[in-house]
Amino acid sequence: MSAGTGIRPAKMRAAVLRKLKTRLKIERLPIPEPGPGEILIKVVACGVCHSDLHAIDGDWNPGPVLPLIPGHEVTGHVAELGAGVTGFRRGDPIGVPWMWSACGHCEACLSGMETVCRTGQATGYSKPGGYAEYMVARADFVARLPKRTDLVAVAPILCAGVTTYRGLKRTNARPGQWVAVVGIGGLGHIAVQYAVAMGLRVAAVDIDPKKLALAKKLGAEFLVNAREENPVSAIRKGIGGVHGAVVAAVATQAFEQSIGMLRAGGTVVFLGLPGGKADELRASIAQISGRELSIRGSSVGTRLDLEEAVAFALRGEVAAKIETAPLSAANAVLNRMRRGKIVGRVVLTIP
Ligand code: NAD
Ligand code: ZN
Ligand code: ZN
């Protein structure tokens, strides 16, 4: 039953992965039925996150549930309500993040870390995601959006936004202090904006001058091209090191270097997940201990983080630089991402 009309189309188009490391194929599949506590969503837009590429390439263990419909930066409208769902109406604009569900009663869930609930499900990884005309989400885990939200523009906030917002909070950096944003991709260019909005001073590190130019435009004060100079000495010499850092690059070296960028007592938060052979790093124990450094991880964000992250975007303080593409172009977009050729974020629009 589509929103408003009361007529349920029989099938939907979706981009499907049948085997790891192969191309997505556009298929016609039955529209899923929302179960108890679930919502059927008519998808409007879905951002393309590098995690989609890791899923398709099988970079992480465990791998995704196949066949897979990727996509976890989803926005759309409520199309149907499953049994027992209250507080939503057909046509309401909503967003679906990576965290498809969490159990709500384990130690992680109870201590503000529902993002790492062991029995949680992941949108576009263990559950079908938003590279499709319709998808099903848990009513308790979707983000409510105001009526006139630009659903294409806000889509990247559902992952890149909330992830970098929580990551920056976990550096514990205070207004006026320096943070390094390492990797100015889909996540990084949004991280620069949250950092500026939170009163932090930003040093941006990437290997592509186009991405550094974007960081500068978004308010980064200190830029380092890690292909041309050593980012550790550049940051130490240029600004005396950083109080915090978030690493949203997909190269092991960037994680190793980020530790050296810190001032004494500083905290680096790892966001990127290179996976496979790139998953292990070397670091100096003496440096970490002797300079009292902290290395933390951060995984997407809680529902509260998401609400806060979306609020920044709705106020216009944070806006992804987006380019749109049709669902049929998903493979081409993913190939461009593989080659590092995307500046900002590509959002698939699904009419
Ligand atoms: P992206 O491809 O858009 O951006 C990656 C950026 O890293 C690019 O700008 C690239 O030029 C830059 N880069 C590559 N090598 C570098 C180096 N040596 N030094 C500095 N920069 C370098 O990817 P994205 O969508 O922003 O995702 C980034 C990573 O974050 C991925 O691994 C993704 O899976 C992960 N991620 C993690 C979470 C989480 O919850 N922790 C959430 C979303 C994404
Ligand atoms: Zn993501
Ligand atoms: Zn839990």
Side-chain angles (χ1 to χ4, degrees), residues 102-106 109 117-119:
C103 80
H105 44 74
C106 70
C109 283
C117 172
R118 283 189 59 189
T119 55

Side-chain angles (χ1 to χ4, degrees), residues 23-141:
R23 289 167 63 81
L24 303 176
K25 289 208 182 71
I26 304 290
E27 298 185 9
R28 288 183 71 76
L29 300 176
I31 293 176
E33 296 276 351
E38 297 175 352
I39 294 179
L40 179 71
I41 295 149
K42 173 81 183 76
V43 177
V44 168
C46 185
V48 176
C49 178
H50 206 114
S51 299
D52 301 340
L53 203 50
H54 292 306
I56 291 164
D57 289 347
D59 288 339
W60 301 336
N61 192 10
V65 172
L66 297 177
L68 173 74
I69 301 173
H72 57 272
E73 283 186 351
V74 192
T75 56
H77 296 108
V78 173
E80 248 177 63
L81 303 178
V85 176
T86 55
F88 289 92
R89 294 166 67 172
R90 275 195 205 137
D92 281 352
I94 55 167
V96 189
W98 171 267
M99 186 173 58
W100 192 87
S101 69
C103 80
H105 44 74
C106 70
E107 185 175 275
C109 283
L110 293 176
S111 55
M113 301 200 307
E114 59 187 9
T115 57
V116 294
C117 172
R118 283 189 59 189
T119 55
Q121 301 288 331
T123 310
Y125 202 81
S126 67
K127 292 282 181 180
Y131 287 22
E133 288 173 326
Y134 290 86
M135 69 168 286
V136 162
R138 287 274 299 272
D140 284 343
F141 289 84

Side-chain angles (χ1 to χ4, degrees), residues 81-283:
L81 303 178
V85 176
T86 55
F88 289 92
R89 294 166 67 172
R90 275 195 205 137
D92 281 352
I94 55 167
V96 189
W98 171 267
M99 186 173 58
W100 192 87
S101 69
C103 80
H105 44 74
C106 70
E107 185 175 275
C109 283
L110 293 176
S111 55
M113 301 200 307
E114 59 187 9
T115 57
V116 294
C117 172
R118 283 189 59 189
T119 55
Q121 301 288 331
T123 310
Y125 202 81
S126 67
K127 292 282 181 180
Y131 287 22
E133 288 173 326
Y134 290 86
M135 69 168 286
V136 162
R138 287 274 299 272
D140 284 343
F141 289 84
V142 300
R144 291 160 190 274
L145 299 168
K147 282 276 180 238
R148 275 183 297 279
T149 308
D150 179 339
L151 293 180
V152 177
V154 87
I157 302 301
L158 274 296
C159 177
V162 67
T163 301
T164 55
Y165 173 63
R166 179 175 173 89
L168 285 161
K169 285 202 293 185
R170 286 172 65 76
T171 68
N172 291 329
R174 296 192 309 273
Q177 293 187 327
W178 281 101
V179 289
V181 177
V182 184
I184 309 293
L187 262 66
H189 89 288
I190 296 179
V192 170
Q193 299 176 63
Y194 278 106
V196 169
M198 291 155 88
L200 302 166
R201 302 184 69 185
V202 177
V205 183
D206 203 290
I207 51 172
D208 180 339
K210 285 198 194 106
K211 294 171 185 170
L212 291 170
L214 175 61
K216 184 172 183 202
K217 205 172 124 198
L218 298 171
E221 295 176 65
F222 191 80
L223 309 173
V224 185
N225 184 329
R227 195 164 266 164
E228 287 170 358
E229 52 184 333
N230 179 332
V232 177
S233 43
I235 285 185
R236 287 223 197 170
K237 240 190 260 159
I239 55 175
V242 290
H243 302 88
V246 289
V247 188
V250 194
T252 317
Q253 204 186 23
F255 293 82
E256 294 174 344
Q257 292 168 337
S258 68
I259 300 166
M261 293 173 194
L262 296 174
R263 293 187 186 202
T267 299
V268 57
V269 176
F270 288 177
L271 301 175
L273 290 157
K277 288 194 199 88
D279 188 54
E280 282 175 27
L281 57 76
R282 288 182 70 90

Side-chain angles (χ1 to χ4, degrees), residues 329-351:
N331 288 304
V333 173
L334 290 160
N335 278 329
R336 273 176 67 204
M337 179 173 267
R338 218 174 247 124
R339 289 181 286 117
K341 296 293 179 208
I342 295 170
V343 180
R345 198 53 131 196
V346 177
V347 177
L348 302 174
T349 54
I350 297 150

Side-chain angles (χ1 to χ4, degrees), residues 278-327:
D279 188 54
E280 282 175 27
L281 57 76
R282 288 182 70 90
S284 157
I285 296 165
Q287 192 184 41
I288 295 165
S289 157
R291 304 182 68 234
E292 296 202 344
L293 306 180
S294 300
I295 301 175
R296 309 182 85 180
S298 195
S299 184
V300 290
T302 64
R303 286 170 280 182
L304 183 59
D305 293 322
L306 182 57
E307 201 176 306
E308 293 173 6
V310 166
F312 277 83
L314 296 177
R315 288 194 302 269
E317 292 186 64
V318 170
K321 175 187 161 15
I322 61 163
E323 189 190 314
T324 59
L327 185 60

